[in-house]
Amino acid sequence: MKTLLLIDLQNDFCPGGALAVDEGNLLIPIANTLMPKFDLVLATQDWHPATHGSFAANHPWRKPGQVIDLNGLSQVLWPIHCVQESFGAEFVKDLNTEGIHKVFVKGTDPEIDSYSGFFDNGHRKATGLGDYLKAQGVTELWVMGIATDYCVKFTVLDALELGFKVNLIEDACRGVNLQAGDVTQAVIDMQNKGANLVLSQDI
């Protein structure tokens, strides 16, 4: 079953959003074009409680971009984003959500962040995505979305670790690039673990 995985195509990650990624909005038409070419289309959605520990605003004197220890894990602090039921957490309006068969939410536990669509950052709890894919008989994924150097990267790495073949649609991803070179390094890291790079026009 040919499966497309859309990572966090949400308002807060696009220009004008709370954690805007440059050109994030340019991925929406690519997603809409690709969806009909797949048997199964799944999406992840950042879905944070307002009290989430990854929000800088929830830590006195802290600012976005700083790194703290959050319950034993290194945690980059972010602006408040993708709060449950908020406009920022919604999928971008122009995304053809009718083409999405199932959505997996992540980041719902205020005590731990979840970049990956499969697990939280400590691999303490699963989202159910891995079991769902295996139940559907899926062995290979095509992945696109936001952000290359965080949620896309960790989703891809977990998918590879779980035994899926992964195709990263490189032109259909955009990154935060908190530090210069983060996006380039993320792509290298995914390739080194076995991800195959493809372009959207070749699918």
Side-chain angles (χ1 to χ4, degrees), residues 167-188:
N167 302 287
L168 177 70
I169 311 171
E170 192 175 9
D171 61 310
C173 297
R174 292 295 185 277
V176 176
N177 236 23
L178 204 58
Q179 305 292 333
D182 279 358
V183 170
T184 301
Q185 188 59 52
V187 173
I188 292 170

Side-chain angles (χ1 to χ4, degrees), residues 2 11 28 39 66 87 98-99 103 108 117 121 148 159 165 196:
K2 195 172 181 182
N11 289 319
I28 306 306
D39 304 308
Q66 292 182 325
F87 172 78
E98 290 183 2
V103 176
T108 59
N121 289 359
T148 314
K165 180 179 179 183
N196 178 43

Side-chain angles (χ1 to χ4, degrees), residues 55-201:
F55 296 162
N58 290 330
H59 302 274
W61 312 108
R62 295 291 188 174
K63 295 179 181 179
Q66 292 182 325
V67 179
I68 65 165
D69 179 285
L70 182 63
N71 299 309
L73 293 175
S74 179
Q75 175 68 53
V76 176
L77 293 178
W78 303 106
I80 295 172
H81 66 280
C82 296
V83 173
Q84 295 170 7
E85 310 297 342
S86 71
F87 172 78
E90 292 175 9
F91 290 117
V92 177
K93 177 172 62 73
D94 293 334
L95 182 67
N96 177 25
T97 52
E98 290 183 2
I100 298 171
H101 297 100
K102 191 170 178 64
V103 176
F104 291 85
V105 297
K106 59 191 181 66
T108 59
D109 184 341
E111 301 299 318
I112 190 167
D113 212 355
S114 297
Y115 296 146
S116 168
F118 291 94
F119 301 99
D120 62 52
N121 289 359
H123 281 215
R124 296 167 186 169
K125 293 179 185 174
T127 63
L129 175 58
D131 288 341
Y132 177 84
L133 289 169
K134 288 178 179 177
Q136 301 299 315
V138 174
T139 58
E140 185 171 6
L141 299 172
W142 279 258
V143 181
M144 64 162 288
I146 305 170
T148 314
D149 40 349
Y150 286 93
C151 297
V152 171
K153 172 185 172 180
F154 288 99
T155 298
V156 166
L157 294 180
D158 278 344
L160 291 165
E161 188 70 25
L162 289 170
F164 295 100
K165 180 179 179 183
V166 180
N167 302 287
L168 177 70
I169 311 171
E170 192 175 9
D171 61 310
C173 297
R174 292 295 185 277
V176 176
N177 236 23
L178 204 58
Q179 305 292 333
D182 279 358
V183 170
T184 301
Q185 188 59 52
V187 173
I188 292 170
D189 291 345
M190 288 184 271
Q191 275 188 292
N192 286 345
K193 290 294 186 179
N196 178 43
L197 298 189
V198 298
L199 296 175
S200 59
Q201 64 261 31

Side-chain angles (χ1 to χ4, degrees), residues 1-15:
M1 188 177 288
K2 195 172 181 182
T3 303
L4 177 65
L5 184 55
L6 309 173
I7 308 296
D8 299 358
L9 297 179
Q10 296 166 263
N11 289 319
D12 268 344
F13 295 131
C14 288

Side-chain angles (χ1 to χ4, degrees), residues 15-26:
L19 185 45
V21 171
D22 284 346
E23 300 185 343
N25 56 309
L26 300 185

